[in-house]
Structure formats: structure tokens, C-alpha cells
Amino acid sequence: MQEPKRYLITSALPYANGPLHIGHIAGAYLPADIYVRYLRRMGKDVVFICGSDEHGAAITIQAKKEQTTPEAIINKYHAIIGKAFQDLGISFDIYHRTSSPIHHETSQAFFVQLYEKGVFEERESEQYYDEAYSQFLADRYIMGTCPVCANPQAYGDQCEKCGTSLSPTDLINPVSTLSMQAPVKRKTKHWYLPLNNFQTWLEQWIIAGEGRTEDWKKNVLGQCASWLKEGLHPRAITRDLDWGVKVPLPGAEGKVLYVWLDAPIGYISATKQWAMDHGKDWKPYWQDADSKLVHFIGKDNIVFHCLIFPCILKSHGEYILPTNVPANEFMNLEGDKMSTSRNWSVQVHTYLEEFPGKEDVLRYVLCANMPETKDSEFTWKDFQARNNNELVAIFGNYANRVMVLTQKFAAGRVPAFDKALDSDKLVADYRAQIDQLYAVYQQSILAYRFRDALMAFMDIVRLGNKLLTDFEPWKLIKTDEPKTLGILRICLESLADIAVLCEPFMPFSAQRLLGYFGADAAFTGAIGEQKLVEGANLGEPFYLFEKIEDAVIQTKLDALEAVRLSRNQVAEQSKPVVVLT
């Protein structure tokens, strides 16, 4: 593939109806941030887009739960989510919101463009209506028994127990979540996107790969193939709802664009806003063939980003299609699916409050366990082990050893190189292995294999530790001071490279390491190139990470066990009583 002139990177817009948990971060935000930070380091023209998804029934449902307005809900959670991203170092160029005027204008213009081109179908159908509340019911306002797994609390769009996508009419004994009464069916008019008309093109583009320039992940292709095998059907793009982007047509009062239509258009409106804020032109990022568009999402968003949104972009005719959609699977928590509603999650803002200064520990653990091809697991014991046995014992230990030895033997200044070391076999092997690992690091990031890249980074750190152990400068100083200082210079140069290499994964630690070398340390040279100036003053030694004690972890496990016990008690109480006669 020809090198793109610019990159547009998006992360799925989180619903502004609740806080983020770490499963969200591992799925769509940390991988995107790692990728973007690497591209910036390589000097690429890249824009990183995200924002709050503030429309749809989920928002109005949450407003009813909290006995407030949708506006109050989105303002509350937009602030909480935005701060959590910022505090965790997710480096969006803009974190926008779909309630903004520019988004409503962009979404409506998109709809009109496709409407005037005759893309949509207008249909009259029967939909559920709550007579007590005098309104049509969005899918999420309908609950009933799942026809697949018999879950009695399945929603009209999906069963959260078995994951099956549903329609309201699929439910057994449906009830309105507003009145808790059985809804009735009434006729209503809506506009549909005839996905069946795009079936052949999607099969050629996604399955056969015609027109694609990158390989897609197997889990993404597998889900797409499953949808296509079942056969695509027309999908409603409007809803009877009073909250959202109004349908801009005469006689469409009380109707809004379905959230899955207006949410991905939010990437475009956010890019427009970013361009306005920075005096840029947004169009090349979305409309030039030499731009690369990548969507980072979780697997629950594959159908929208791989099938539906591309059909919308293609129908418009002026937009590029995504080069890749490297969707991740789900991250579970202590053997169970993460769920904020069931209180089974680690909320990001809570973690940041309870573990101050440990942003990079979470980023590291989430990346090491990233669900890139299959569901993964977060456990507090693994969190502790990775911190204590990897970050403290390997990464932090190496950095501190180099700092302490340099202060002791070189008076806290950058020592001179020892030219004799250039012909030393141990040093030559070290440098050759570093080159190999750096190549793996780069290739892995560009192929969206962030776990492999992190592993390569840690192996680079391990090589530094091995070099110190091989030469034992604390002994060598007694017989050969120039060689000792030369080894420390190699290690200091490696630590400068490590500061650069760890930045996509652990930006806060990278900043601390750069601070050790000087406030203006930028290190623009390539990995392996000399970055330090002989005689320059260095900072005081410090520890990058600290151990996490058993008691801290046990507190977290006890809290989860309390939730599990409470849930089991509720389940027992809800069982029907069998009377024996």
C-alpha cells in the first residue's frame, strides 16, 4: 500500500448515559491511543477523533431512572467521561458531542443528500405503542423474554445475557418499560436503508477484499461473514422519539434519525469542529483517496462500522471508506462479563481516584491483556502481579539501576562513550537484538498487534538489564573506569530510547523519564542513534513504579464478592416457590 498522506483515526463514541469502565478502554480507546501516539512520533499527519454519543433511547431511559432531563444526563456524563479519558492520557485531538449544532446540521445534510438520491425506502409498519404514555416505543423501551435463551429481561434490540440481536416483535410477552403494561401495535411511517441492495458489493469488498488495501482481523471478517450469510435486510433509519436529530422532511414531526445513523456521522461533525478550531480543512481527511481512515471499536459495533456506515458513505459518493476496522473482543472481569448496570465493572474514574499516579499501570495491564482476537480477562491478582513482577521488577528496576549507578560513578552527568566497546561481542549482540526487537515493535503496532508490540518493548528493557548484569559495572569500576562509564553511556542512551518507545503505552512514565534527561528532552532521532550530550547534567534517581500490596488487592476482591453474593441472593428470592401437596 502507498504511504498515506494523512491519517484519520476514530474511536467509538461512548454513550453519555453512564461512566466508562476498563473494558471500554481496552476495547476501543487504548489501542487507538497507542496507534495514534506512535504515528505522531513518526511525524505523520494524524487526527484522533471521538466524542459523546448523546442521542437515542438509552439517554432518555437513564434520564427517567435519575428523574431528570436528557440534557442533564448528557451534560453530567459527557463531563465524567471526558475527564476520565483525559486523566488516563487518551490523547484525542477533539472530544466532541453529538448534541452540538454542527452535528445536527451535518447529520441532517447527510440524510437529505441520500434522500434526494433515492437511497432510502419509505415504509409504513406496525410498531409497539404505549397507550398509557401516548408514545411509540423505541426498542430499548420494550422488554420481554428472549426467544433464544429465555432471559426474562431481554430488550427489544438485544438480549444482554446471550448477546442475540433482536427485534421487539421477537420478544415473548413484551411489556413497555415506561408503564410496565403490554404495548399495542399501531401503524407508523419510517425511512429505511435497503442494506440488501448493498449485499453483493459488501461481499466483494469485505469478504473478497476487492478495493481493500489491508488485511482485516479474522474476528471482524468472521462476524461480517455471518451477517452476510444470513442475508441483509432493509433497516429503519428513523425512530418515533422526541430526543435526537430531527428528520428534516415535511410531515416528519416527532421523528428523529436512528442513533446508529447519526452517531458515526459524529466522526465527521467532530472533524469539522476540529478543523474550525485549528484553521484546517476537514475535507482531505474524509474525502481524499490518499487519506487512511481507521475505526477502533469493540465487537458489538462491528455491524455498524463494517456494514452500515460504509453503505452510507458509499451512497453519499464523496467519502472514503475505512482502510481498517480493527475491532477488539470483550474484556471480562473476574470470570464474568463486565456490566455497569449489574455493578460488575471497574469504572475508570473510580480507579483513577483509588490508584492515584498509577494511570500507566492500568494502561500496561489492559494492553498486556488486550482482547485483540478473543475475549480476555482482567483479574486483580494479575493486575498486582504485572505491576510487581514486570513494571517494578523489570522496567522500574532497570531505570533506577542506571540512574543510581550513573549518579555514583559519573557524578550524575552523561559520561563519554568508550570506543573500545564498539568491538565488544556482548555490546554488538545487544545492539543487534535491539534492532530486531524494534522492528517487531514497529511492525506490530502498524498491524494493530499491540500486545506483541508491548512484549517487544519489555524485551528491550530486559536486554538492558542483561547488559548491566553481564558487565557488572559495580565491580568493573575498580579495574576499568572508562569501560564502566562507557557501559553506563550505552545504558543511558537505551533509557532515552525506552522513554520514547514506552510513550504510546505509558505516556506518564515516558514524561518522567524524559524529565530525568532534562526539561527540554525531546529525542527526535531514530532508535539506536545517539541522543545525549556528554557532560550534560541528569536528574536525581527515582523509582518509576511501586509495589502494590496484598491488602489493597484483597479490598477490591472483597468488594466484588459482596456484589456477587448480593446478586445471588436476589436471584434466589426471585425463584418461584414450589408448594408440595
Side-chain angles (χ1 to χ4, degrees), residues 244-385:
V245 177
K246 308 299 182 187
V247 175
L249 295 177
E253 293 76 16
K255 299 184 189 297
V256 298
L257 301 187
Y258 201 179
V259 68
W260 62 256
L261 174 67
D262 92 81
I265 294 173
Y267 300 138
I268 300 171
S269 58
T271 310
K272 286 183 176 181
Q273 187 63 58
W274 167 82
M276 289 169 57
D277 294 343
H278 294 84
K280 302 273 189 178
D281 183 4
W282 68 271
K283 287 186 176 181
Y285 294 90
W286 278 101
Q287 298 183 350
D288 281 8
D290 50 12
S291 296
K292 179 175 178 176
L293 171 62
V294 182
H295 297 307
F296 284 88
I297 59 171
K299 66 178 176 183
D300 53 335
N301 268 318
I302 288 175
V303 64
F304 304 112
H305 289 75
C306 297
L307 300 179
I308 298 174
F309 192 42
C311 290
I312 293 168
L313 295 173
K314 182 175 175 60
S315 296
H316 190 286
E318 297 177 9
Y319 288 79
I320 59 172
L321 298 173
T323 303
N324 215 317
V325 187
N328 276 350
E329 300 292 292
F330 288 154
M331 175 175 277
N332 297 320
L333 171 63
E334 300 285 353
D336 202 354
K337 182 180 176 181
M338 282 200 212
S339 169
T340 302
S341 62
R342 295 188 300 121
N343 200 23
W344 195 260
S345 68
V346 178
Q347 295 184 356
V348 177
H349 71 286
T350 302
Y351 171 90
L352 293 169
E353 291 168 2
E354 294 178 349
F355 292 89
K358 291 183 171 57
E359 300 90 350
D360 280 349
V361 178
L362 181 61
R363 289 176 64 112
Y364 178 84
V365 173
L366 294 183
C367 183
N369 289 322
M370 194 172 282
E372 291 177 336
T373 56
K374 62 182 180 179
D375 288 356
S376 66
E377 185 90 4
F378 178 93
T379 71
W380 282 108
K381 286 289 188 183
D382 179 70
F383 170 81
Q384 179 189 28

Side-chain angles (χ1 to χ4, degrees), residues 117-264:
K117 292 178 75 171
V119 173
F120 302 139
E121 295 177 354
E122 188 176 313
R123 294 185 176 190
E124 190 176 71
S125 63
E126 285 190 331
Q127 292 189 7
Y128 283 124
Y129 184 87
D130 190 323
E131 292 181 312
Y133 276 73
S134 301
Q135 70 177 70
F136 283 98
L137 296 171
D139 295 350
R140 280 264 154 176
Y141 277 103
I142 305 165
M143 188 177 284
T145 300
C146 174
V148 177
C149 72
N151 170 26
Q153 295 182 317
Y155 289 106
D157 60 348
Q158 185 181 39
C159 174
E160 294 194 346
K161 185 176 181 180
C162 69
T164 302
S165 293
L166 301 169
S167 294
T169 52
D170 295 331
L171 295 175
I172 301 167
N173 299 324
V175 296
S176 165
T177 59
L178 298 179
S179 64
M180 299 311 296
Q181 297 176 10
V184 298
K185 288 183 178 179
R186 285 195 181 180
K187 288 186 177 180
T188 183
K189 180 179 71 174
H190 284 290
W191 289 267
Y192 288 72
L193 179 65
L195 290 173
N196 49 299
N197 292 348
F198 298 88
Q199 173 101 20
T200 301
W201 170 70
L202 286 169
E203 289 172 343
Q204 292 170 343
W205 180 57
I206 296 175
I207 307 303
E210 295 179 15
R212 286 199 289 109
T213 54
E214 286 187 359
D215 290 333
W216 285 15
K217 293 167 69 170
K218 289 182 179 178
N219 58 313
V220 176
L221 291 174
Q223 191 178 131
C224 290
S226 179
W227 280 89
L228 291 167
K229 185 178 179 181
E230 289 179 11
L232 301 179
H233 305 282
R235 191 160 184 147
I237 57 165
T238 58
R239 275 290 184 262
D240 292 293
L241 202 62
D242 58 359
W243 178 253
V245 177
K246 308 299 182 187
V247 175
L249 295 177
E253 293 76 16
K255 299 184 189 297
V256 298
L257 301 187
Y258 201 179
V259 68
W260 62 256
L261 174 67
D262 92 81

Side-chain angles (χ1 to χ4, degrees), residues 28 89 194 250 398 404 424:
Y398 177 60
V404 169
D424 188 287

